[in-house]
Every structure is written in structure tokens, then in C-alpha cells.
């Protein structure tokens, strides 16, 4: 699932607000230069072809909503990112983050907690097999 900058901005708004018209999206998009109505309509049409959004028609107005969940999109995009940049090795991504200035002691503790929770989840699943 590839989302360009405009598409990502649109789907984030739809996740946040639910259904929106083209005019509502046009007004809410936080981009450097305002997008024309027709540009927003084109972005939505392309996203609909990809199965990312759907619409309903009410009184000749289209109301768009996300067709994929934020969780599913995130998992797919992160998976593709890890594959392309780190050869499919999540540990390389983690190593890269830990080597950066982005992880302070508070964030490191949160990561440790998440790892422990994931380990417990995996052990529970393995116990059922």
C-alpha cells in the first residue's frame, strides 16, 4: 500500500473525522499551498481505485470515508518500509532508531515494555499450539 503525501494527508483526515466531502477535505488539508477542488477530487478518485477510500452519494454530494483501517495501513506501510530499507529485518530498524538521537531514556523504557508485552503474547500463542 503506497500512499503519497497528499493521499496520506487525506486518509489521516478521514481516519480522524470519518466521512467528509471534497470541499471539507479541501478546507481541512494542511498543505503548503491550497489544493484546487479538482485536485482533491482527483486524489480521491485515485485512492478509490486503489481501494483506500469509498464514497456514498447523497443529494449529488459525495461523502468519502476510509476503506482501510489506520492499523492495517500502518502495518502494511511499515512492513514495506522495513523490507525496502532494512532488507526485511525489523531488528535493523530498531538498531537504527536506537543509534539515533530520537530515543531518550523515557522512550527506551517504553520500547522495553512493548518488547516484554510482545514476548508474553508470543509465549501465550506458542503454548496454545
Amino acid at each position: 500500500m503506497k500512499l503519497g503525501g497528499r493521499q496520506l494527508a487525506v486518509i489521516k483526515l478521514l481516519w480522524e473525522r470519518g466521512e467528509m466531502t471534497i470541499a471539507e477535505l479541501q478546507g481541512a488539508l494542511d498543505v503548503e499551498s491550497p489544493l484546487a477542488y479538482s485536485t482533491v477530487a482527483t486524489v480521491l478518485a485515485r485512492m478509490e481505485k486503489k481501494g483506500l477510500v469509498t464514497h456514498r452519494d447523497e443529494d449529488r454530494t459525495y461523502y468519502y470515508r476510509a476503506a482501510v483501517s489506520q492499523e492495517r495501513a500502518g502495518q502494511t506501510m511499515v512492513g514495506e518500509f522495513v523490507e525496502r530499507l532494512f532488507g526485511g529485518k525489523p531488528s535493523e530498524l530498531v538498531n537504527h532508531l536506537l543509534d539515533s538521537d530520537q530515543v531518550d531514556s523515557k522512550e527506551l523504557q517504553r520500547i522495553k515494555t512493548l518488547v516484554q508485552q510482545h514476548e508474553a503474547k508470543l509465549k501465550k500463542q506458542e503454548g496454545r499450539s
Side-chain angles (χ1 to χ4, degrees), residues 41-112:
T42 300
V43 169
L44 285 163
R46 289 179 181 159
M47 291 176 74
E48 193 162 24
K49 281 184 181 178
K50 292 181 179 181
L52 301 171
V53 300
T54 60
H55 76 272
R56 67 179 175 84
D57 185 3
E58 184 178 305
D59 298 327
R60 297 183 352 186
T61 301
Y62 281 7
Y63 291 85
Y64 288 87
R65 65 184 170 279
V68 294
S69 71
Q70 187 171 2
E71 181 180 333
R72 180 173 159 235
Q75 289 173 342
T76 301
M77 291 173 72
V78 168
E80 290 172 357
F81 176 76
V82 169
E83 185 63 39
R84 282 195 326 263
L85 220 56
F86 300 103
K89 298 176 184 170
S91 59
E92 293 297 322
L93 169 61
V94 172
N95 187 52
H96 177 79
L97 287 171
L98 293 174
D99 282 345
S100 73
D101 293 334
Q102 297 175 346
V103 180
D104 60 14
S105 60
K106 186 176 180 181
E107 190 65 21
L108 183 59
Q109 186 55 50
R110 175 80 175 119
I111 291 169
K112 287 178 183 179

Side-chain angles (χ1 to χ4, degrees), residues 10-27:
V10 165
I11 204 155
K12 281 182 173 182
L13 280 169
L14 294 174
W15 286 329
E16 181 183 313
R17 300 184 187 182
E19 284 189 333
M20 295 179 77
T21 65
I22 295 171
E24 290 169 339
L25 280 161
Q26 180 188 20

